[in-house]
Amino acid sequence: MIKTVGLTKTYGDLDAIRDVSFEVAKGKIVGFLGPNGAGKSTTMKILTGFLPATRGSATVAGFDVFDDPMEVKRRVGYLPETPPVYPDLTVHEYLRFVGKLKGLRGDKLASDIERVVNKLALAEVVDRLIRNISKGYQQRTGFAQALLGNPEVLILDEPTVGMDPRQIGEVRGVIKELAGEHTVLLSTHILSEVVATCERVVIINKGTIIADDSLDALATKHGGGRDQLEKIFLNLTEA
Amino acid sequence: MRNTLAIAGKEIRVYFTTATSYVVLGSFALIIAYFFQALVGEFQRAIAQSLQMNASWMLEQLNLTDYVIYPLIMNIGVILIFFTPIITMRLLAEEKRAKTLELLMTAPVRPIEIVLGKYLAGLTMMLAMLGVTLLFPIVVEVLGASQTGSPLDWRSVGVGYFGAALLGAAFVAIGLFTSSLTDNPVIAALLGFLILLMFYIVGSGASGSEGLWKSLLEFLSLASNLTSFARGVLRVPSLVYYLSLSVFALFLTYRVVEAQRWR
């Protein structure tokens, strides 16, 4: 569903990412794990058509990201690292706006907004200005926006940042429910996030992929159980 | 088209839910009101003078359309140099600063729809500002009415306002363009102000020069193109000038937004 081959992004002399190749099969949730500045967000921006790659190719839902950006954008829900919300709109106005951009109108728009509001437990704040709600709610509003239109692919850049432990638990629940019907690529720098939501993990460090495996296989390969994953992750990204 | 309207609608909502638009509308009206009362005062003095001198030929020349509304529209054109950048500065620069441009650029929306939506919103705000100043000709109409009929030549006023709207449309396009260049609304406003001021200064340079150079400067000048409209004459070259300036600035904006995809 998501496939990248030799993806490279260069800023001047600096390689933000180098030869990034991986695949995410339909209906799977894959964790995209790496320390801050490893190139997670850059990769995701390329996958959503926001940034062009310097080299390499990426296809999402069967369409090339650079050649067919509109087809890709129609099929992808994206939560960037900074939730893209407008402080001067209410949560409801904001979701209406994004829904319209995704081509939803009338009853369909109203029912879809209701669906994502319920899914992310936003009912309480739906009529408040986004500037006045907490960071956690803003993040959830950003997530709700990504789910509008029920896209087949979801690209989530650190979806639980800024949330309290209870909200984190709820949002992880929402992500897990997405499996099967949706294909999800989820970036995070926290290993426990991956353990809680994903079966497979792609680890990126300093712009290159250093591991691409199921969690169990990763643990076995490095001679430990699942409880050793934290140590394995730290060792891998140390270099 | 629907996306364009959705984007324009959101932007207009932001304009009118924040205090900025009301402050802009209010202070713009206040400044124009100041010019208006000064012009009416001058008109009264001119009448008193010609009565004193018993110059009936002068009295015949004096009318509110030429002596109040014409200079008022010219003043509106100048004051818009300061006010347009304030209403256009946020349009794209704020989206970049707040990283919401990422939302627009990853939604199934074409860059041209983003640009036109933003432009439509700025244009609406511009028309609201011009609409507020319509109050002044209406005041003249109501208070200046006599047995001989309307004190104003409304056809002329209409053409004048049409010209001001065309100038406003070009100003908004230029302001939108500067807003696309930076992620800092204040820099966008300053840049827009500089460009508009340059177009204005070019016109004052025309009076000191001659020949082809003079006609070129006059052609480029924002003010001299407004003159004929404000006098009630619809000049096609001026109409073409404002429209092509708008289209050109919008095209540049489109290129800047679209370039995101290649960077």
Side-chain angles (χ1 to χ4, degrees):
Chain A
M1 204 44 135
I2 301 175
K3 186 178 181 191
T4 75
V5 181
L7 219 52
T8 302
K9 176 74 187 175
T10 315
Y11 292 106
D13 299 334
L14 193 91
D15 285 354
I17 55 170
R18 203 163 44 249
D19 271 331
V20 167
S21 305
F22 65 91
E23 266 182 72
V24 182
K26 191 171 165 44
K28 297 290 183 214
I29 304 181
V30 169
F32 195 36
L33 182 66
N36 288 324
K40 303 186 296 285
S41 294
T42 303
T43 309
M44 291 184 144
K45 282 177 180 162
I46 294 171
L47 286 174
T48 51
F50 183 64
L51 280 182
T54 311
R55 276 191 308 281
S57 71
T59 51
V60 176
F63 293 95
D64 186 280
V65 168
F66 195 75
D67 295 334
D68 273 321
M70 284 300 267
E71 294 303 322
V72 171
K73 287 169 188 181
R74 265 190 260 279
R75 289 166 176 80
V76 174
Y78 174 41
L79 170 62
E81 56 182 333
T82 315
V85 292
Y86 297 103
D88 295 321
L89 298 183
T90 66
V91 172
H92 190 262
E93 285 171 343
Y94 172 72
L95 293 175
R96 253 188 97 73
F97 172 61
V98 180
K100 280 185 185 172
L101 292 186
K102 293 190 177 190
L104 301 169
R105 292 292 184 279
D107 291 347
K108 227 172 164 184
L109 176 60
S111 65
D112 211 40
I113 290 175
E114 202 182 302
R115 180 181 68 88
V116 298
V117 162
N118 289 335
K119 200 153 205 150
L120 284 148
L122 287 167
E124 233 178 283
V125 295
V126 84
D127 289 320
R128 286 175 60 188
L129 284 180
I130 293 177
R131 67 162 72 252
N132 295 334
I133 62 178
S134 68
K135 177 83 177 64
Y137 269 125
Q138 292 185 1
Q139 186 75 22
R140 272 152 74 170
T141 305
F143 194 169
Q145 160 277 124
L147 292 177
L148 278 173
N150 215 12
E152 31 184 326
V153 177
L154 283 156
I155 294 182
L156 310 172
D157 201 348
E158 311 216 348
T160 58
V161 149
M163 292 184 186
D164 60 43
R166 186 209 185 101
Q167 292 176 325
I168 290 178
E170 286 169 7
V171 166
R172 282 179 184 167
V174 173
I175 294 171
K176 273 198 202 161
E177 280 174 29
L178 294 169
E181 205 184 323
H182 302 268
T183 307
V184 183
L185 182 66
L186 165 100
S187 91
T188 175
H189 58 272
I190 309 157
L191 181 86
S192 60
E193 182 109 341
V194 176
V195 175
T197 47
C198 313
E199 274 308 302
R200 237 188 78 212
V201 63
V202 175
I203 302 180
I204 186 169
N205 190 34
K206 293 180 182 160
T208 45
I209 289 183
I210 51 173
D212 178 354
D213 230 327
S214 77
L215 287 174
D216 290 329
L218 197 67
T220 321
K221 198 186 290 178
H222 293 271
R226 264 187 171 235
D227 51 337
Q228 295 292 304
L229 280 167
E230 189 77 45
K231 226 172 101 187
I232 296 168
F233 171 55
L234 287 175
N235 283 338
L236 279 171
T237 54
E238 204 176 21
Chain B
M1 188 61 202
R2 288 167 122 193
N3 290 333
T4 303
L5 290 179
I7 290 170
K10 172 241 146 195
E11 212 59 52
I12 290 167
R13 186 162 289 234
V14 170
Y15 269 140
F16 288 99
T17 49
T18 55
T20 344
S21 58
Y22 297 102
V23 173
V24 165
L25 278 174
S27 43
F28 183 67
L30 208 66
I31 290 171
I32 302 304
Y34 169 77
F35 282 109
F36 175 69
Q37 63 83 25
L39 289 166
V40 170
E42 246 172 73
F43 181 71
Q44 281 173 328
R45 269 194 299 282
I47 288 196
Q49 227 169 29
S50 18
L51 281 175
Q52 236 172 25
M53 288 156 54
N54 226 342
S56 60
W57 60 272
M58 259 178 88
L59 271 178
E60 269 166 36
Q61 292 292 315
L62 283 170
N63 66 76
L64 285 158
T65 312
D66 288 348
Y67 282 80
V68 175
I69 302 302
Y70 160 72
L72 190 72
I73 287 175
M74 293 307 287
N75 281 327
I76 288 174
V78 176
I79 301 305
L80 281 179
I81 294 175
F82 301 90
F83 274 84
T84 312
I86 301 173
I87 63 170
T88 56
M89 64 181 186
R90 290 178 83 254
L91 287 175
L92 283 163
E94 178 67 19
E95 299 266 4
K96 287 193 187 182
R97 194 197 61 74
K99 302 205 193 293
T100 43
L101 190 65
E102 215 163 324
L103 175 80
L104 297 181
M105 296 297 283
T106 57
V109 178
R110 276 183 288 273
I112 189 71
E113 294 172 317
I114 299 175
V115 172
L116 289 179
K118 296 282 180 179
Y119 181 59
L120 209 58
L123 211 54
T124 307
M125 189 66 196
M126 172 59 69
L127 291 179
M129 286 169 72
L130 290 175
V132 168
T133 68
L134 268 176
L135 187 68
F136 303 114
I138 290 173
V139 164
V140 170
E141 171 74 27
V142 172
L143 298 181
S146 64
Q147 286 96 339
T148 52
S150 168
L152 287 179
D153 172 7
W154 275 96
R155 204 198 69 87
S156 186
V157 175
V159 173
Y161 265 89
F162 178 60
L166 283 173
L167 170 128
F171 276 24
V172 170
I174 291 169
L176 181 62
F177 169 60
T178 61
S179 183
S180 74
L181 295 176
T182 164
D183 60 4
N184 183 331
V186 176
I187 291 178
L190 284 174
L191 208 59
F193 171 65
L194 276 178
I195 294 179
L196 294 180
L197 200 63
M198 245 157 47
F199 271 103
Y200 183 74
I201 290 170
V202 154
S204 54
S207 52
S209 39
E210 45 190 62
L212 189 68
W213 187 237
K214 182 185 168 77
S215 7
L216 181 73
L217 291 182
E218 260 173 5
F219 172 73
L220 283 175
S221 162
L222 284 167
S224 68
N225 278 291
L226 184 60
T227 313
S228 51
F229 284 106
R231 288 245 182 247
V233 182
L234 206 158
R235 245 184 96 235
V236 174
S238 296
L239 181 91
V240 172
Y241 166 77
Y242 285 130
L243 290 181
S244 42
L245 195 60
S246 309
V247 170
F248 183 61
L250 285 177
F251 173 72
L252 290 181
T253 313
Y254 165 72
R255 290 313 295 247
V256 173
V257 172
E258 217 263 340
Q260 171 69 42
R261 210 162 93 71
W262 306 88
R263 207 165 287 159

